[in-house]
Amino acid sequence: MTDMEALRERLGGEKPKKAFVRSFGCQLNVSDGEKIKGLLKSAGYSFAESESDADLIILNTCAVRENAEDRVFGIVGSMKHLKDSNPGLIIGISGCMTAQKHIAEKIRKSYPQVDFVLGTSALNSLPGLLLDCMNGSKFAADTNEYTGFAEGTEQVRESSFKASVPIMFGCNNFCTYCIVPYVRGRERSRRSEDIINEVRQLAAGGYKEIMLLGQNVNSYGNDSADEISFPELLRRINAIEGDFIIRFMSSHPKDATRELLDVILGCEKVAKHLHLPVQSGSDRILAEMNRRYTVKKYLETVDYLRSRDKDFSLTTDIIVGFPNESDEDFEATVSLMKRVKYDNIYSFIYSKRTGTKAAEIDDRISDDVKSSRMRRLLEIQREIAAEHYQRFVGRRMRVLVEEPCKKRSGWLTGKSSEFIIAEFEGEPSLIGSFVEIEVIKAMNWAVEGKIIS
């Protein structure tokens, strides 16, 4: 009898159990959380609306920044009263935090309310860990690194029209600030056949957006001589029947080949948007980060895209305050932003990660300086976006309607192929479908329009 069969039998003889799963961090983590829910559903769990109603709580964690870890520890600490009032409650922590040995040990020693930890590649061990907890184990754990994938696992998706599809896991780049290679392991690509079959099923089921995920999707297939490249994968998914849009993230600039750019521009279902994390506009800082490209090389990619499509949409990640970033380094980043004219940026103040190379650098830049730079960066980006979004005014834009607008009753919000947020009046019944709007106003975070069809 497998662990899943034993768990299903165990739960079948008890009062129905409820689980609560909360995921933090990136979309890969959210996808992992959906798989965890799928395993629990297969075992016989239903799902609680909150921690207080649950018999099982799993926090699926992120380790990219220190404040994400601190937030999880705060939540775990507050759960002690739940365990005190319900001794049968099982609490588990999964995700990237558990892959750090010092964090897993801290959880075991300092948080006795936690019953188990589950590593990022050990999802199939979940039924066995739950059985151990039910059988009296004080602390169960599987943080080993596995190379296989949980193919065929049922996935309880959060949306009925947007789906994330991981195509690879891990990273080989070892940027000096990044913990991902240490918590997600080395690059491992799923079989293209499995990916294409999954997308085909989603398209047949009416999903309108397919987001392909990986720490560096551009490296897809490099770990296997038998696999196709990422551009070819995009071509084959683009050929799948159905009305849907293909997105992906994240792309590493050093691997953004001309072939990939041509596929993005030439495939009608592939979004006309590229998230291309630059991190810094200073060659000195890029070298310190081990990013393996220069500003000149990065701009060649930008210029090629814009030469083919002058309105092509670009977003990026920027780290402010990398150790010993000078005023000149920061101004180089500002200059790059003004040159590229990003539609959006995701900016972060550098967060020291134990175990990374950058954590060993003696940083002489004060927190006040870093915060001041961040405020200036965001102010400049708001000005850029407010001006750059003007290019859409008067044009038609196809938008996937995602949800009601939070601040305006009777209005909806969605995203265009260019990943531009659009707001417009409309009925809630349109959520999950494509509409065409005419853009009538540009703001610094979105455009406003009216539905044409």
Side-chain angles (χ1 to χ4, degrees):
M1 181 182 293
T2 66
D3 287 340
M4 175 59 84
E5 290 168 341
L7 179 60
R8 194 178 290 129
E9 184 176 281
R10 176 75 173 264
L11 292 172
E14 299 181 0
K15 176 185 173 183
K17 300 286 188 182
K18 291 184 178 181
F20 182 84
V21 179
R22 183 176 180 183
S23 293
F24 301 81
C26 71
Q27 287 176 290
L28 268 172
N29 256 29
V30 172
S31 179
D32 285 348
E34 293 177 341
K35 288 189 175 75
I36 288 170
K37 285 184 176 181
L39 286 168
L40 297 176
K41 181 181 177 183
S42 295
Y45 281 94
S46 59
F47 297 103
E49 294 294 323
S50 67
E51 293 98 326
S52 59
D53 295 328
D55 303 289
L56 166 66
I57 299 171
I58 298 179
L59 301 180
N60 187 35
T61 63
C62 172
V64 171
R65 284 176 289 280
E66 186 176 16
N67 61 357
E69 290 184 356
D70 291 342
R71 184 182 179 196
V72 170
F73 281 130
I75 293 170
V76 174
S78 69
M79 285 182 177
K80 187 176 183 302
H81 75 280
L82 292 176
K83 197 67 172 271
D84 291 340
S85 61
N86 180 13
L89 173 65
I90 296 175
I91 298 176
I93 299 181
S94 66
C96 293
M97 280 177 62
T98 67
Q100 302 171 90
K101 290 183 179 179
H102 68 286
I103 295 292
E105 185 62 14
K106 177 179 178 179
I107 293 169
R108 185 184 69 82
K109 286 185 175 180
S110 304
Y111 296 90
Q113 62 269 40
V114 176
D115 298 286
F116 71 90
V117 296
L118 178 70
T120 56
S121 61
L123 296 187
N124 286 336
S125 298
L126 179 58
L129 294 177
L130 291 174
L131 284 171
D132 288 344
C133 294
M134 292 174 181
N135 291 331
S137 172
K138 290 186 177 180
F139 187 78
D142 187 348
T143 57
N144 294 317
E145 187 175 320
Y146 298 93
T147 58
F149 305 107
E151 297 292 357
T153 300
E154 182 179 1
Q155 201 160 335
V156 178
R157 297 190 181 274
E158 294 187 355
S159 170
S160 61
F161 59 91
K162 295 171 61 178
S164 296
V165 178
I167 65 171
M168 63 185 300
F169 298 88
C171 184
N172 293 349
N173 289 315
F174 288 92
C175 300
T176 59
Y177 55 82
C178 186
I179 197 69
V180 167
Y182 305 97
V183 298
R184 285 279 183 179
R186 304 302 174 268
E187 290 177 355
R188 308 176 309 282
S189 301
R190 291 177 64 197
R191 292 196 316 156
S192 56
E193 181 182 347
D194 292 330
I195 297 167
I196 292 166
N197 285 339
E198 183 175 348
V199 174
R200 187 176 287 115
Q201 291 171 8
L202 291 166
Y207 280 82
K208 300 300 183 184
E209 178 182 295
I210 308 296
M211 175 71 81
L212 307 178
L213 297 178
Q215 262 75 39
N216 178 17
V217 291
N218 300 358
S219 294
Y220 173 80
N222 288 355
D223 55 310
S224 172
D226 298 325
E227 265 309 342
I228 60 177
S229 67
F230 182 54
E232 180 59 25
L233 180 67
L234 286 177
R235 289 189 190 99
R236 295 189 188 186
I237 293 175
N238 187 75
I240 293 173
E241 187 176 343
D243 184 15
F244 61 94
I245 191 168
I246 304 165
R247 300 192 187 278
F248 59 86
M249 65 171 48
S250 281
S251 275
H252 197 295
K254 73 178 178 62
D255 301 316
T257 63
R258 188 65 57 89
E259 181 190 12
L260 173 60
L261 305 181
D262 287 341
V263 167
I264 295 170
L265 292 162
C267 289
E268 70 276 6
K269 291 176 184 173
V270 177
K272 300 306 175 273
H273 158 253
L274 182 60
H275 184 69
L276 199 63
V278 69
Q279 306 302 0
S280 174
S282 161
D283 282 339
R284 185 184 78 83
I285 294 295
L286 290 175
E288 289 285 321
M289 291 177 168
N290 191 37
R291 291 293 285 173
R292 290 181 279 174
Y293 56 83
T294 62
V295 171
K296 180 182 178 182
K297 176 65 175 174
Y298 184 92
L299 289 175
E300 285 175 2
T301 301
V302 172
D303 289 344
Y304 180 74
L305 285 167
R306 293 271 170 79
S307 71
R308 297 281 307 280
D309 180 352
K310 63 184 178 64
D311 293 330
F312 192 91
S313 177
L314 287 161
T315 57
T316 198
D317 295 338
I318 293 176
I319 294 174
V320 174
F322 185 81
N324 300 320
E325 176 190 63
S326 68
D327 289 340
E328 291 77 15
D329 294 324
F330 175 71
E331 291 302 327
T333 299
V334 170
S335 295
L336 179 76
M337 288 173 56
K338 292 178 177 179
R339 164 83 153 75
V340 175
K341 291 184 169 60
Y342 294 105
D343 285 294
N344 200 359
I345 66 169
Y346 302 86
S347 53
F348 313 93
I349 293 177
Y350 168 76
S351 178
K352 183 176 179 179
R353 299 281 71 205
T354 300
T356 63
K357 291 289 185 182
E360 302 170 7
I361 300 174
D362 181 21
D363 186 14
R364 298 182 296 276
I365 307 300
S366 71
D367 290 343
D368 286 345
V369 168
K370 294 177 182 180
S371 296
S372 176
R373 288 175 181 170
M374 173 64 88
R375 288 193 296 272
R376 182 162 172 242
L377 197 79
L378 295 176
E379 180 181 339
I380 291 168
Q381 177 55 30
R382 283 193 289 269
E383 293 172 358
I384 290 171
E387 176 187 345
H388 201 41
Y389 281 10
Q390 290 290 335
R391 70 193 192 276
F392 295 111
V393 174
R395 298 187 190 177
R396 294 188 174 192
M397 178 181 279
R398 192 171 191 242
V399 175
L400 176 59
V401 187
E402 296 183 349
E403 60 185 352
C405 189
K406 292 179 173 61
K407 295 183 178 180
R408 294 198 273 191
S409 178
W411 284 62
L412 303 170
T413 184
K415 291 189 184 73
S416 70
S417 171
E418 299 86 359
F419 210 62
I420 303 298
I421 297 171
E423 297 181 353
F424 43 89
E425 287 186 279
E427 296 297 323
S429 59
L430 293 172
I431 292 173
S433 63
F434 289 108
V435 299
E436 191 169 3
I437 67 168
E438 180 183 347
V439 178
I440 59 176
K441 181 180 178 182
M443 299 169 280
N444 62 18
W445 77 95
V447 298
E448 184 179 301
K450 58 181 180 181
I451 295 177
I452 298 170
S453 62

